[in-house]
Amino acid sequence: MQDPRVPSGARDRFEALYRACYPALQRYALRRTDSVDDVADVIAETFLAAWRRLDDVPEGDAALLWLYGAARRVLANHRRGESRRSALGSRLRGELAVRQETAPADPRTEEIRAAFAALAPADREVLALASWEGLTGPQIATVLGCSSTAVRLRLHKARKRLARLLGTTDETPVMTPLRGETR
């Protein structure tokens, strides 16, 4: 069944354009990117632009030239994005380094970090949401898509497992309780 939003013949024209131009567009992107993932992104975004503007794509050999132009703009946007992400990453690393230098050193930090890493991913997630993000039980339930009761149980068990890994029977020094939660 044909989608009524797609003009008659548009799908066939796009598929023919894709089959005819994909290999050349792939080579174009491979020569201008650093990773296979980037190549896939460039091709996908270029053909998306072609689909959206199919009426603007010329017929015949000129179609490939149009796609090269579109791919060139996609690559330029990709490079600008990479540049912004790189600058942001550098800035954040600098800010985090300053914060780490000013944070008081806890002698058990490495021990806690190793124990936390040894936990199952589900335990790490529930503990991180409670301790690092400061979320309440109902908020964690929303994030995880489960009930508040399930969160309380999972959090209790995760705290116990972490305390056991740290060789302590009291979970209080390891992880603080949820806001509003009582023991």
Side-chain angles (χ1 to χ4, degrees):
M1 179 171 185
Q2 174 138 351
D3 187 339
R5 298 171 292 177
V6 178
S8 178
R11 181 183 175 123
D12 292 338
R13 179 165 185 244
F14 179 79
E15 288 177 355
L17 176 72
Y18 185 87
R19 281 191 304 274
C21 297
Y22 182 91
L25 195 60
Q26 181 183 34
R27 288 188 301 272
Y28 179 90
L30 276 167
R31 291 181 188 115
R32 289 162 177 81
T33 58
D34 296 328
S35 77
V36 175
D37 292 335
D38 291 343
V39 170
D41 289 345
V42 168
I43 293 170
E45 288 182 47
T46 301
F47 278 112
L48 177 61
W51 173 253
R52 288 181 175 158
R53 299 186 52 208
L54 194 56
D55 290 340
D56 296 335
V57 179
E59 297 288 338
D61 293 339
L64 181 59
L65 301 178
W66 189 95
L67 287 170
Y68 282 158
R72 183 175 166 272
R73 288 184 290 281
V74 167
L75 282 164
N77 287 339
H78 177 74
R79 287 184 186 115
R80 279 192 297 274
E82 283 294 317
S83 177
R84 283 191 301 269
R85 281 187 291 278
S86 177
L88 177 61
S90 295
R91 192 180 87 223
L92 289 174
R93 279 188 294 280
E95 289 175 11
L96 290 173
V98 169
R99 286 185 186 153
Q100 277 186 323
E101 290 170 6
T102 60
D106 183 339
R108 292 189 65 196
T109 298
E110 286 307 313
E111 180 186 355
I112 293 169
R113 190 172 287 153
F116 185 78
L119 290 171
D123 286 345
R124 287 194 308 264
E125 182 66 14
V126 74
L127 287 170
L129 289 170
S131 299
W132 296 347
E133 311 312 328
L135 298 183
T136 64
Q139 290 170 328
I140 295 171
T142 299
V143 170
L144 298 179
C146 61
S147 70
S148 293
T149 304
V151 167
R152 278 194 304 279
L153 181 61
R154 286 176 61 182
L155 189 57
H156 175 73
K157 288 181 176 183
R159 285 179 176 151
K160 289 288 188 189
R161 288 182 191 110
L162 183 60
R164 194 171 34 248
L165 287 170
L166 291 169
T168 178
T169 56
D170 183 14
E171 65 187 77
T172 305
V174 177
M175 303 299 281
T176 59
L178 292 173
R179 286 182 278 161
E181 180 184 10
T182 57
R183 290 195 197 266

